[in-house]
Amino acid sequence: MTIDLSALGWDDAFAAAYAQHDLPGQRPARVSRVDRGICTALAADGPVRASLAGGLLARAARDAAALPCAGDWLVVRNWPDGRLTAEAVLPRRTAIVRAVAGEESFGQMLAANVDAVAVVEPVDPSPDLGRIERLLALAWESGAKPLLVLTKADLAADPLALAEQMPGRESGVEVHAVSARTGMGVDALRPLVAPGRTLGLLGQSGAGKSSLVNALAGAPVMHTQTLRADGRGRHTTTYRALIPMPGGGAVLDTPGIRLVGMFDTASGLDRAFADVTELAALCRFQDCNHAGEPGCAVREAVEDGTLSPRRFAHWQKLQKEQMLASVRRMKRESRERRRPARP
């Protein structure tokens, strides 16, 4: 079996980064899945399974973000005894990172090297605007192109009118109403999975991500399940997976996300809430807290109906969450710098 790596996104930039690793017995491969330290990856000669090399594990001990994740490009080494090891992760072009729950702020890598990130949200029973805004902040921070995909659009009375009401449009985010069952809107997403391009999916369980993958592939490549009796989604996908598309390109599907913590997403929040950020820049005082100070452009916009109270309140909440995560991260990094080096 042979695989065209260029169809999966391999290009001159990745080839240049790989040049220093271009040694006998080594070759590049793209991670499709990681299970308990074993990487399933796609190489030019077909799928391979590689364990993590000691050097890579040592780097990961200092920084967990160094661990491979779905979408990464690896340097895979063949050993004389038949073993395969992942020796290094090539520099990431984009990365989707969320905070791990806990007292200290750590980032969890969800996906790497995606060209676009689709926040997937079902129209039934109704879109959760707060969740959309939170996920769009992660999408903006990744460095990839963010978009919003409203699934199960055949269940909405007027899906196009609903799309017009979604957050993100003020920041230039494309909003697509899609139905995997009827095929509505699917063709508009196909350029995002053209040869050499990768589309990442973010959303809750039951949002229809797996059905969307199948619709884009034109075949049942992902297992799907019905919603539970209480209307909540089942975890159809329990791991992050890179799925090659027929004809080239790939989709990177992620497990259903219920809790999404902010991790180093200051610029992503500014992009996701561009309308609020622009208003804040017009306030009379640069350090305005938008809590009653004179000349507060944000409060004025809320009072005259230009900015919804819900959106303003959610922006404040995410700003506080981001600042808290930043403080925790800086404290952790300071402790680590003071920690005595091992002999």
Side-chain angles (χ1 to χ4, degrees):
M1 178 182 181
T2 59
I3 295 175
D4 179 6
L5 295 187
S6 64
L8 291 178
W10 184 259
D11 57 20
D12 292 343
F14 285 122
Y18 174 76
Q20 62 178 308
H21 304 283
D22 192 9
L23 302 172
Q26 296 190 164
R27 62 193 189 279
R30 193 169 191 195
V31 178
S32 59
R33 176 175 173 175
V34 179
D35 297 288
R36 296 181 178 87
I38 301 296
C39 296
T40 300
L42 304 173
D45 57 346
V48 298
R49 285 176 60 80
S51 58
L52 303 185
L56 185 53
L57 287 171
R59 290 190 290 275
R62 297 189 296 270
D63 181 7
L67 286 170
C69 73
D72 271 327
W73 285 99
L74 294 180
V75 177
V76 176
R77 182 176 181 181
N78 283 77
W79 293 86
D81 61 3
R83 289 182 300 118
L84 274 74
T85 55
E87 298 290 315
V89 176
L90 297 184
R92 293 165 177 138
R93 187 169 294 167
T94 61
I96 305 173
V97 186
R98 71 169 174 178
V100 176
E103 292 299 319
E104 296 186 327
S105 182
F106 290 91
Q108 179 188 25
M109 197 70 60
L110 296 178
N113 300 316
V114 296
D115 299 286
V117 180
V119 173
V120 183
E121 181 73 13
V123 302
D124 185 58
S126 63
D128 186 319
L129 303 184
R131 180 169 54 233
I132 290 173
E133 290 165 340
R134 183 179 287 265
L135 291 177
L136 281 176
L138 262 66
W140 276 115
E141 192 69 36
S142 73
K145 173 186 176 180
L147 63 146
L148 173 59
V149 176
L150 298 176
T151 56
K152 309 178 185 181
D154 54 298
L155 300 178
D158 190 343
L160 298 182
L162 183 62
E164 291 288 340
Q165 303 169 18
M166 291 298 103
R169 298 184 68 89
E170 60 283 326
S171 305
V173 173
E174 295 179 8
V175 182
H176 298 267
V178 173
S179 170
R181 187 178 68 84
T182 67
M184 170 189 174
V186 174
D187 286 344
L189 301 179
R190 295 196 188 282
L192 301 174
V193 292
R197 299 186 60 80
T198 302
L199 172 65
L201 305 181
L202 288 177
Q204 67 167 341
S205 298
K209 298 187 302 298
S210 296
S211 296
L212 180 59
V213 174
N214 291 340
L216 288 169
V221 296
M222 296 291 289
H223 177 61
T224 60
Q225 297 189 72
T226 57
L227 294 178
R228 298 184 337 199
D230 60 4
R232 299 181 69 180
R234 302 174 190 268
H235 283 286
T236 302
T237 305
T238 57
Y239 53 86
R240 292 174 282 280
L242 182 79
I243 304 104
M245 293 286 102
V251 176
L252 206 160
D253 191 17
T254 60
I257 298 175
R258 290 200 176 115
L259 297 176
V260 184
M262 296 289 102
F263 180 80
D264 200 17
T265 53
S267 63
L269 281 174
D270 285 346
R271 299 292 297 274
F273 288 86
D275 53 336
V276 187
T277 303
E278 291 172 3
L279 286 168
L282 300 176
C283 291
R284 179 183 302 177
F285 303 108
Q286 291 185 350
D287 59 349
C288 183
N289 291 316
H290 321 297
E293 296 91 337
C296 176
V298 176
R299 283 289 181 182
E300 290 175 2
V302 172
E303 291 170 2
D304 66 20
T306 306
L307 176 66
S308 77
R310 183 211 63 80
R311 184 165 170 80
F312 170 55
H314 196 226
W315 174 72
Q316 287 186 307
K317 176 183 177 181
L318 295 184
Q319 288 282 350
K320 291 178 182 178
E321 187 177 324
Q322 159 62 27
M323 286 189 287
L324 179 60
S326 180
V327 169
R328 287 175 173 172
R329 177 175 55 81
M330 288 189 290
K331 288 182 177 179
R332 172 175 55 80
E333 291 173 350
S334 177
R335 287 195 299 271
E336 290 173 351
R337 286 193 296 269
R338 296 195 302 268
R339 188 176 301 160
R342 293 183 179 180

